[in-house]
Amino acid sequence: MVDTTSTPILLRAARGETVDRPPVWMMRQAGRYMKAYRDLRDRYPSFRDRSEIPEVAVEVSLQPWRAFRPDGVILFSDIVTPMPGMGIEMDIAEGKGPIIHDPIRTQAQIDALHPLEPEASLPFIRTILETLRQEVGNESTVLGFVGAPWTLAAYAVEGKGSKDYSIIKGMAFSDPSLLHQLLSQFAEAIATYVRYQIDCGAQVVQMFDSWAGQLSPQDYHMFALPYQQQVFNAVRQTHPDTPLILLVTGSAGLLKQMASSGADLISVDWTVDMADARAVLGPNIGVQGNMDPGVLFGSQDFIRDRIHDTIRKAGTHQHIMNLGHGILPNTPEENAAFFFKTVQDYRY
Ligand code: CP3
């Protein structure tokens, strides 16, 4: 018989099993708000070193684990990490985010991309995930993550983060077939990468379509949703038991479409009330979120009230407590600790 008591609570909740409280982790829980991270960043100033040298990446992932015992421990990496393996050179600049040296804007550049071979180009991911599984055992769930095709294409085409996404939108609205080719290539590579992360030990995988909320609902339907579906459907065929989470920022007007992405859980941000999100998404899909990261700058009484309010609105079925997006860099560490403890002390 399977010993379900040894399955960590986040994995059980993500599968829709009965739990006595919501599991909790925080997006960006490893990062700049932690002094331990800032100290380590001084010793390893290059983000690619921090995320691609296995011992360093493992250490960063374990910093919040040691400090707060979250129910989920996420791989320390970035959404653009697989790009060099497809032939897209990139770097991650301090305070700026990803930089693509030679932005993808022509048919010839798309033709020159190659399929991702993770064992060859991302061997460090195996070491990191295997080590994290050993380190946390059954006490926590190891999460993998990837970027979604639209968001990766946004970086590849724009060359960096953007306020208005005018270059990729220009391509979408004047030469859509070119963009569709790029999006399909990313969808294929990302499906391969998700499978690899699961094979290496990731127990739940979250896909970040961070910039898909920049699209109108009709354009999301055309350029984001089909490629999310392509990734999730491909992964489901070979790895049907791994829960998959989808995050889009600024997604309040997109929730209904997100429910048809094939994800098991939708990560909801704070622009929508959790009770309303539940009502739109329906009973067959789980939720994650959705406290405003800014609440962690409030008093602890206020933080506790907002946590309890979110949990009550999410209900007792398939809810992973989280922020609506990443924890902000200046957040007091003691308030992060209070967030985890308050959720872990809660009982339905
Ligand atoms: O959640 C975690 O603890 C895992 C770490 C993680 C990082 N990037 C590390 C990182 C995750 C999940 C990501 C995903 C990621 N990267 C996303 C999707 C998540 C989201 O926020 O919507 C996006 C859009 C990126 C691209 C990216 N990389 C951005 C926008 C930045 C931040 C720029 C800045 O400095 O504000 C990065 C760099 C980055 N990736 C940092 C971290 C901790 C900050 C730089 C640093 O600490 O050195």
mmCIF file of all heavy atoms in Angstrom, residues 137-156:
data_model
loop_
_atom_site.group_PDB
_atom_site.id
_atom_site.type_symbol
_atom_site.label_atom_id
_atom_site.label_comp_id
_atom_site.label_asym_id
_atom_site.label_seq_id
_atom_site.Cartn_x
_atom_site.Cartn_y
_atom_site.Cartn_z
ATOM 1 N N GLY A 137 13.849 15.687 1.440
ATOM 2 C CA GLY A 137 13.182 14.407 1.695
ATOM 3 C C GLY A 137 11.676 14.521 1.522
ATOM 4 O O GLY A 137 11.195 15.116 0.554
ATOM 5 N N ASN A 138 10.923 13.970 2.468
ATOM 6 C CA ASN A 138 9.460 14.046 2.392
ATOM 7 C C ASN A 138 8.902 15.236 3.157
ATOM 8 O O ASN A 138 7.698 15.351 3.331
ATOM 9 C CB ASN A 138 8.830 12.769 2.964
ATOM 10 C CG ASN A 138 9.069 11.596 2.037
ATOM 11 O OD1 ASN A 138 9.123 11.753 0.820
ATOM 12 N ND2 ASN A 138 9.237 10.423 2.619
ATOM 13 N N GLU A 139 9.779 16.115 3.631
ATOM 14 C CA GLU A 139 9.302 17.225 4.450
ATOM 15 C C GLU A 139 8.808 18.402 3.628
ATOM 16 O O GLU A 139 8.139 19.289 4.143
ATOM 17 C CB GLU A 139 10.409 17.704 5.391
ATOM 18 C CG GLU A 139 10.697 16.749 6.522
ATOM 19 C CD GLU A 139 11.852 17.275 7.356
ATOM 20 O OE1 GLU A 139 11.707 18.357 7.943
ATOM 21 O OE2 GLU A 139 12.899 16.607 7.378
ATOM 22 N N SER A 140 9.191 18.462 2.367
ATOM 23 C CA SER A 140 8.738 19.547 1.521
ATOM 24 C C SER A 140 8.636 19.021 0.090
ATOM 25 O O SER A 140 9.099 17.923 -0.206
ATOM 26 C CB SER A 140 9.714 20.733 1.609
ATOM 27 O OG SER A 140 9.162 21.888 1.027
ATOM 28 N N THR A 141 8.022 19.814 -0.759
ATOM 29 C CA THR A 141 7.839 19.432 -2.158
ATOM 30 C C THR A 141 8.801 20.249 -3.013
ATOM 31 O O THR A 141 8.910 21.467 -2.825
ATOM 32 C CB THR A 141 6.385 19.718 -2.587
ATOM 33 O OG1 THR A 141 5.509 18.912 -1.789
ATOM 34 C CG2 THR A 141 6.156 19.419 -4.057
ATOM 35 N N VAL A 142 9.488 19.597 -3.930
ATOM 36 C CA VAL A 142 10.415 20.321 -4.806
ATOM 37 C C VAL A 142 9.676 20.768 -6.071
ATOM 38 O O VAL A 142 9.092 19.950 -6.786
ATOM 39 C CB VAL A 142 11.647 19.454 -5.145
ATOM 40 C CG1 VAL A 142 12.510 20.140 -6.201
ATOM 41 C CG2 VAL A 142 12.463 19.183 -3.881
ATOM 42 N N LEU A 143 9.705 22.084 -6.303
ATOM 43 C CA LEU A 143 9.031 22.646 -7.475
ATOM 44 C C LEU A 143 10.037 22.989 -8.558
ATOM 45 O O LEU A 143 11.084 23.591 -8.286
ATOM 46 C CB LEU A 143 8.293 23.937 -7.108
ATOM 47 C CG LEU A 143 7.125 23.824 -6.137
ATOM 48 C CD1 LEU A 143 7.431 24.580 -4.862
ATOM 49 C CD2 LEU A 143 5.871 24.396 -6.774
ATOM 50 N N GLY A 144 9.693 22.626 -9.774
ATOM 51 C CA GLY A 144 10.421 23.114 -10.937
ATOM 52 C C GLY A 144 9.633 24.257 -11.548
ATOM 53 O O GLY A 144 8.497 24.511 -11.159
ATOM 54 N N PHE A 145 10.235 24.978 -12.484
ATOM 55 C CA PHE A 145 9.474 26.016 -13.184
ATOM 56 C C PHE A 145 10.073 26.296 -14.549
ATOM 57 O O PHE A 145 11.251 26.014 -14.801
ATOM 58 C CB PHE A 145 9.390 27.317 -12.364
ATOM 59 C CG PHE A 145 10.668 28.120 -12.333
ATOM 60 C CD1 PHE A 145 10.903 29.119 -13.288
ATOM 61 C CD2 PHE A 145 11.628 27.898 -11.370
ATOM 62 C CE1 PHE A 145 12.068 29.874 -13.266
ATOM 63 C CE2 PHE A 145 12.804 28.643 -11.341
ATOM 64 C CZ PHE A 145 13.022 29.635 -12.292
ATOM 65 N N VAL A 146 9.227 26.836 -15.402
ATOM 66 C CA VAL A 146 9.650 27.245 -16.743
ATOM 67 C C VAL A 146 8.915 28.526 -17.109
ATOM 68 O O VAL A 146 7.904 28.873 -16.482
ATOM 69 C CB VAL A 146 9.309 26.171 -17.811
ATOM 70 C CG1 VAL A 146 10.102 24.888 -17.589
ATOM 71 C CG2 VAL A 146 7.802 25.878 -17.844
ATOM 72 N N GLY A 147 9.404 29.213 -18.121
ATOM 73 C CA GLY A 147 8.662 30.325 -18.713
ATOM 74 C C GLY A 147 7.756 29.767 -19.799
ATOM 75 O O GLY A 147 8.045 28.733 -20.391
ATOM 76 N N ALA A 148 6.661 30.469 -20.058
ATOM 77 C CA ALA A 148 5.744 30.038 -21.118
ATOM 78 C C ALA A 148 6.206 30.616 -22.460
ATOM 79 O O ALA A 148 6.948 31.597 -22.505
ATOM 80 C CB ALA A 148 4.333 30.507 -20.801
ATOM 81 N N PRO A 149 5.753 30.005 -23.565
ATOM 82 C CA PRO A 149 6.202 30.476 -24.881
ATOM 83 C C PRO A 149 6.023 31.971 -25.116
ATOM 84 O O PRO A 149 6.972 32.625 -25.580
ATOM 85 C CB PRO A 149 5.356 29.626 -25.848
ATOM 86 C CG PRO A 149 5.186 28.325 -25.091
ATOM 87 C CD PRO A 149 4.996 28.744 -23.656
ATOM 88 N N TRP A 150 4.869 32.551 -24.795
ATOM 89 C CA TRP A 150 4.699 33.985 -25.072
ATOM 90 C C TRP A 150 5.738 34.816 -24.333
ATOM 91 O O TRP A 150 6.360 35.722 -24.902
ATOM 92 C CB TRP A 150 3.278 34.467 -24.716
ATOM 93 C CG TRP A 150 3.210 35.971 -24.693
ATOM 94 C CD1 TRP A 150 3.339 36.784 -23.613
ATOM 95 C CD2 TRP A 150 3.093 36.848 -25.833
ATOM 96 N NE1 TRP A 150 3.295 38.109 -23.979
ATOM 97 C CE2 TRP A 150 3.142 38.180 -25.344
ATOM 98 C CE3 TRP A 150 2.942 36.636 -27.210
ATOM 99 C CZ2 TRP A 150 3.046 39.283 -26.184
ATOM 100 C CZ3 TRP A 150 2.849 37.749 -28.046
ATOM 101 C CH2 TRP A 150 2.897 39.055 -27.542
ATOM 102 N N THR A 151 5.933 34.514 -23.046
ATOM 103 C CA THR A 151 6.837 35.329 -22.230
ATOM 104 C C THR A 151 8.285 35.154 -22.674
ATOM 105 O O THR A 151 9.057 36.119 -22.731
ATOM 106 C CB THR A 151 6.633 34.986 -20.737
ATOM 107 O OG1 THR A 151 5.331 35.450 -20.373
ATOM 108 C CG2 THR A 151 7.682 35.630 -19.845
ATOM 109 N N LEU A 152 8.672 33.929 -23.029
ATOM 110 C CA LEU A 152 10.039 33.720 -23.538
ATOM 111 C C LEU A 152 10.210 34.408 -24.883
ATOM 112 O O LEU A 152 11.254 35.020 -25.158
ATOM 113 C CB LEU A 152 10.334 32.219 -23.645
ATOM 114 C CG LEU A 152 10.410 31.501 -22.287
ATOM 115 C CD1 LEU A 152 10.685 30.018 -22.502
ATOM 116 C CD2 LEU A 152 11.493 32.115 -21.400
ATOM 117 N N ALA A 153 9.186 34.324 -25.726
ATOM 118 C CA ALA A 153 9.261 34.999 -27.029
ATOM 119 C C ALA A 153 9.366 36.503 -26.824
ATOM 120 O O ALA A 153 10.080 37.192 -27.568
ATOM 121 C CB ALA A 153 8.046 34.647 -27.889
ATOM 122 N N ALA A 154 8.676 37.023 -25.794
ATOM 123 C CA ALA A 154 8.745 38.464 -25.529
ATOM 124 C C ALA A 154 10.189 38.870 -25.242
ATOM 125 O O ALA A 154 10.685 39.869 -25.783
ATOM 126 C CB ALA A 154 7.824 38.848 -24.374
ATOM 127 N N TYR A 155 10.893 38.087 -24.403
ATOM 128 C CA TYR A 155 12.312 38.392 -24.147
ATOM 129 C C TYR A 155 13.147 38.219 -25.410
ATOM 130 O O TYR A 155 14.014 39.042 -25.718
ATOM 131 C CB TYR A 155 12.862 37.526 -23.012
ATOM 132 C CG TYR A 155 12.508 38.065 -21.651
ATOM 133 C CD1 TYR A 155 11.638 37.379 -20.820
ATOM 134 C CD2 TYR A 155 13.036 39.278 -21.199
ATOM 135 C CE1 TYR A 155 11.298 37.876 -19.570
ATOM 136 C CE2 TYR A 155 12.696 39.789 -19.958
ATOM 137 C CZ TYR A 155 11.829 39.087 -19.144
ATOM 138 O OH TYR A 155 11.494 39.595 -17.924
ATOM 139 N N ALA A 156 12.901 37.128 -26.145
ATOM 140 C CA ALA A 156 13.730 36.838 -27.321
ATOM 141 C C ALA A 156 13.582 37.921 -28.389
ATOM 142 O O ALA A 156 14.556 38.300 -29.035
ATOM 143 C CB ALA A 156 13.361 35.465 -27.898
#
